[in-house]
Amino acid sequence: MSTAIRRKDDIIILEPAGKIIGEAIPELREVLITQIDKSKRPRILINLKRVHKMDSAGLGTFIVVYNMVRAKGGRIAIINVGKHIKNLIVQSRLINIFEHFSTEDAAIKAFSNTYLKNY
């Protein structure tokens, strides 16, 4: 699994590719935590377009990361959630925890508006 990282309007955009299962999970967790640690108030957008499968341990990693971001007063959201991953999130009753947007532009706009209001 690989994870591309880029920034747009001071928002960290992570784009993992492959499967978020097994040995790939610690690698993704490390990438996410590194990005959170670099930011005073992280705003992270995870694009799941190139993720084809995720298991409950992968979802658990997202929950840990969500809690870390929120503890620092930041925001985290997901976009381009495929059917398999959406079903996992719905079945685990976490659909209301994760912010999700239909497009990257919509997420960037929402994050930017909140950022401006809070500073």
Side-chain angles (χ1 to χ4, degrees), residues 19-57:
K19 298 176 182 177
I20 302 176
I21 59 173
E23 294 177 10
I25 294 170
E27 177 185 332
L28 178 62
R29 184 181 311 122
E30 184 176 326
V31 168
L32 287 162
I33 290 172
T34 298
Q35 294 303 312
I36 293 167
D37 288 345
K38 287 180 181 179
S39 218
K40 181 179 177 184
R41 190 171 179 203
R43 294 181 297 156
I44 298 176
L45 179 60
I46 303 172
N47 185 346
L48 297 174
K49 183 176 186 173
R50 299 184 308 153
V51 175
H52 308 292
K53 187 174 183 180
M54 181 167 59
D55 62 14
S56 59

Side-chain angles (χ1 to χ4, degrees), residues 19-26 28-29 51-65 84-94 98:
K19 298 176 182 177
I20 302 176
I21 59 173
E23 294 177 10
I25 294 170
L28 178 62
R29 184 181 311 122
V51 175
H52 308 292
K53 187 174 183 180
M54 181 167 59
D55 62 14
S56 59
L59 187 58
T61 294
F62 281 175
I63 293 167
V64 168
V65 168
H84 169 76
I85 297 170
K86 184 175 183 177
N87 286 341
L88 180 64
I89 292 171
V90 169
Q91 289 174 356
S92 62
R93 296 192 169 116
L94 297 172
F98 294 109

Side-chain angles (χ1 to χ4, degrees), residues 61-106:
T61 294
F62 281 175
I63 293 167
V64 168
V65 168
Y66 168 85
N67 287 327
M68 291 176 71
V69 168
R70 298 297 290 177
K72 289 182 90 172
R75 286 178 73 180
I76 187 167
I78 54 177
I79 60 171
N80 295 318
V81 180
K83 183 178 178 180
H84 169 76
I85 297 170
K86 184 175 183 177
N87 286 341
L88 180 64
I89 292 171
V90 169
Q91 289 174 356
S92 62
R93 296 192 169 116
L94 297 172
I95 192 71
N96 294 325
I97 291 176
F98 294 109
E99 287 187 80
H100 47 282
F101 297 91
S102 55
T103 67
E104 182 177 307
D105 288 339

